[in-house]
Amino acid sequence: MRIASNWVFRETSRLGFAAVLLAGSIQAQADLRVFACEPEWAALAQELSPRSVVYSATTAQQDPHQVQPRPGLISKMRKADLVVCSGAELEVGWLPVLQQKSGNRKVQSRDEGLFFAADYVETIDKAESTGPLAGDIHEDGNPHLHLDPYRILDISKALAERMANLDPASAKIYRDNQSAFADRWQAQIETWEKQAEPLKGLNLIAYHSNFDYLLNWLGINTVGDLEPKPGVPPSSRHLASLLQKSQSLQVDGVIYASYQNAQGADWLSKKLGVPNVELPMSVGGNEDSHDLTGLYGSLIQTLLKTVTGSSS
Amino acid sequence: MLATASSTDFFDPKLSLILDGQYTTEKSALSERNKGWGIGHIELGLSSTLGDYFYGKYMGTLHEHGSKIEYETEEAFIQTLALPDGFSLRAGRFLSDVGYLNGQHAHADSFSSRPAVYRGMLGDHYYDDGARLSYVMPTDIYWVLGAEAFRGKKMRAVGITDPESVGVYTAFTKIGGDFDEENSWQLGLSYLRNRNGAGVSELDHDEEEHEDHEHHDEHGDHEEHGHEDEGHHEHAGHDDHNHSHGAAYTGKDTYLAEAVWKWAPGGNYKYQSLTLSGEYLISKNISQTIKNDENHEGFYLSGVYQMSPEWFAGVRYGEVEGYEAHGDHFHEQTLKETDVVLGWTRSHAMTVKLQYTHQSGDDLPNIAGDMLTLQFTMSLGDHDAHSF
């Protein structure tokens, strides 16, 4: 603790010095060291605290279920003040190892430096039973909750409060940033909902439950999953039965995430003669997804362009 | 594994059961496993955080020991989560963190057996009763320092009649990091001081009648070895007599060096990944009786390629060279082993491995030549988190 508080003290005094130098031209903001499990939480933390040092353990090209608890992540967690993750067991295969090996007591408790987004919103699809062969099922529900903008609002509020608790001296800054973010975000939601009107009622086949929150929000139906069971890769047998099932349905497209292999989706979309769409899983998932707003905008534009052939 | 509990769930138990069965065409050198069908390493574990400050774990195993099935407690420890930054303390029975593979659970291995050098010099995997203090440096690069003190019974050399009660001390350091998004590495050096590690041969092993409890309670048949016919080959490697987790080759000073490199395209471990690892072990001062410069020594190099979410293949080569004391001289024993494995896994819950092993060497029983092993591992219960 001594080392960490020295560090905080040093940083604060350096910032104080900088603030004096810049004499009000820039509002001084406190630093937190934030370790985000996924890039969406890094982006949100950055919105709420632009001066914090934020590190994302994964990219949008990596499956967040399957992450190596590698040394480079342990050293990052060792120095973190705050760990922000999806929760709902998404990171259960690797986060506990990092926590334990980091020896960082600040990030062990969900009341202190460990923040699970899923603790602050309702999740969908809570599984009633899980067995060893059920695949990557989450009893706590679908953890890919960052693609519902209303949930993002609730989470941003909870996260700003957590930052304020951890760093009371800058509490006002986090809360102000959050309310500014919320205003912008609310306005965006209206725009996005208008833009996405033509997507309502589409029938898509997805790869894993990655986009369920997004599709629910936009009124898009999921009529099939490339995975026979969650986390189990598409088998040719499953794809064949999916093809058969789809022929009696109206299918408008097949979607998969930026970290997923396109093979199964390619094959099925060709057979069905429908578009095959790669969607950014998170911030950094494609060129336009440089932040949360960019990510949502890009998801909607990509769907509009490829599935309905229009864009706005 | 470690539950990410809030303070509201003080006790949040996780139960896990690893079922492991296998068929082997031959009995293997420096191994407890029998030919034919057998159980592998069945593990029943219960772990929980205790508030935000402690983590506790119990793990019992069932495994074959000669013709018997044995139940043993391999882990029963408490670890702190809330010492000042970077420090943690663990006490109880647990796997030593020396070397790379030793701290990992066997069911997570890519191969169906530990390398020959582990089987010979660490008793397959070294766990013991003791305490560990470790410290993660606040550096950008991962750097951990640790020290352990153990009872050391499993690492006791042949002929030790009055063992030190804290027999083993270890010190280790590991560094690691990411070259880039796709490439990660770790290097480590460990030292194991074994106060009971230098053997005593019959030569000056005059009847010391006092047998303390320590010596007696667990397969305390070391003395009997000394009376056996020198040429009696069952003696070699002790694997038919000694405890299954006892090391055949011990010394006062053991050094371990480890290197691991992992790669996945885009850092995405879902579809493809490559793991290269290697370790080198050397034990010095191996006998109190025989004046010598001989060292037990061995290494392995392994490469495992995950080619799809469900399939992986691996190759491993390893050697171990050990010395067995016979009165005033040593018999050199060597084992060279090549393994090729093909594995299929479904969401980490079930793994099937087919492994081909070729063994050659000298002066050891059960050198297999060619053998095949088919292994099934099933993980029931809570998701298990594995180390790097």
Side-chain angles (χ1 to χ4, degrees), chain B residues 235-238 249 296 322-326 329-333 363:
Chain B
H235 190 166
H238 317 291
Y249 306 128
H296 305 306
Y323 293 87
E324 185 182 46
H326 288 257
H329 66 286
F330 287 126
H331 283 188
E332 185 182 336
Q333 301 176 327
D363 215 27

Side-chain angles (χ1 to χ4, degrees), chain A residues 78-79 99-100 103 110-111 132, chain B residues 4 7 55 86 136 140 268 349:
Chain A
R78 160 73 173 83
K79 287 171 290 185
Q99 285 177 287
Q100 200 181 62
R110 272 145 89 171
D111 296 333
Chain B
T4 44
S7 55
Y55 167 74
V136 185
D140 281 334
N268 185 10

Side-chain angles (χ1 to χ4, degrees), chain A residues 67-269:
Chain A
V67 175
Q68 287 287 320
R70 45 185 211 271
L73 295 183
I74 301 170
S75 62
K76 286 288 189 306
M77 186 165 287
R78 160 73 173 83
K79 287 171 290 185
D81 303 304
L82 174 61
V83 170
V84 185
C85 302
S86 296
E89 298 196 327
L90 176 63
E91 301 93 355
V92 75
W94 51 282
L95 179 62
V97 180
L98 296 178
Q99 285 177 287
Q100 200 181 62
K101 293 210 166 181
S102 71
N104 180 354
R105 68 171 165 192
K106 290 189 281 187
V107 300
Q108 306 292 335
S109 168
R110 272 145 89 171
D111 296 333
E112 291 164 34
L114 176 62
F115 181 93
F116 282 154
D119 288 350
Y120 299 92
V121 292
E122 276 292 308
T123 55
I124 58 172
D125 301 331
K126 287 194 165 90
E128 279 172 19
S129 73
T130 61
L133 294 179
D136 286 342
I137 284 224
H138 304 284
E139 269 178 82
D140 295 345
N142 184 330
H144 310 289
L145 41 80
H146 65 288
L147 294 180
D148 173 5
Y150 296 99
R151 284 182 169 84
I152 285 285
L153 267 186
D154 293 341
I155 294 163
S156 73
K157 200 157 193 169
L159 183 56
E161 281 310 305
R162 182 68 66 88
M163 289 173 158
N165 285 341
L166 293 177
D167 180 19
S170 307
K172 189 175 179 308
I173 296 167
Y174 302 124
R175 291 183 181 124
D176 289 350
N177 286 339
Q178 194 274 332
S179 71
F181 170 76
D183 290 345
R184 287 198 310 276
W185 195 253
Q186 285 282 15
Q188 281 294 344
I189 291 177
E190 283 174 38
T191 315
W192 290 326
E193 288 179 347
K194 247 179 245 143
Q195 288 173 344
E197 272 300 323
L199 299 174
K200 229 173 227 160
L202 286 183
N203 292 327
L204 298 181
I205 290 176
Y207 184 171
H208 195 65
S209 55
N210 282 331
F211 297 106
D212 284 5
Y213 288 94
L214 178 82
L215 303 178
N216 282 358
W217 169 49
L218 298 176
I220 298 172
N221 307 309
T222 316
V223 295
D225 193 327
L226 296 181
E227 291 183 331
K229 282 171 184 163
V232 176
S235 61
S236 41
R237 201 174 62 178
H238 177 72
L239 288 176
S241 83
L242 201 55
L243 175 64
Q244 195 164 24
K245 207 179 83 183
S246 308
Q247 272 152 356
S248 59
L249 296 166
Q250 147 87 29
V251 176
D252 299 297
V254 183
I255 57 168
Y256 63 98
S258 46
Y259 72 81
Q260 290 170 325
N261 188 319
Q263 261 178 8
D266 256 348
W267 182 85
L268 188 65
S269 63

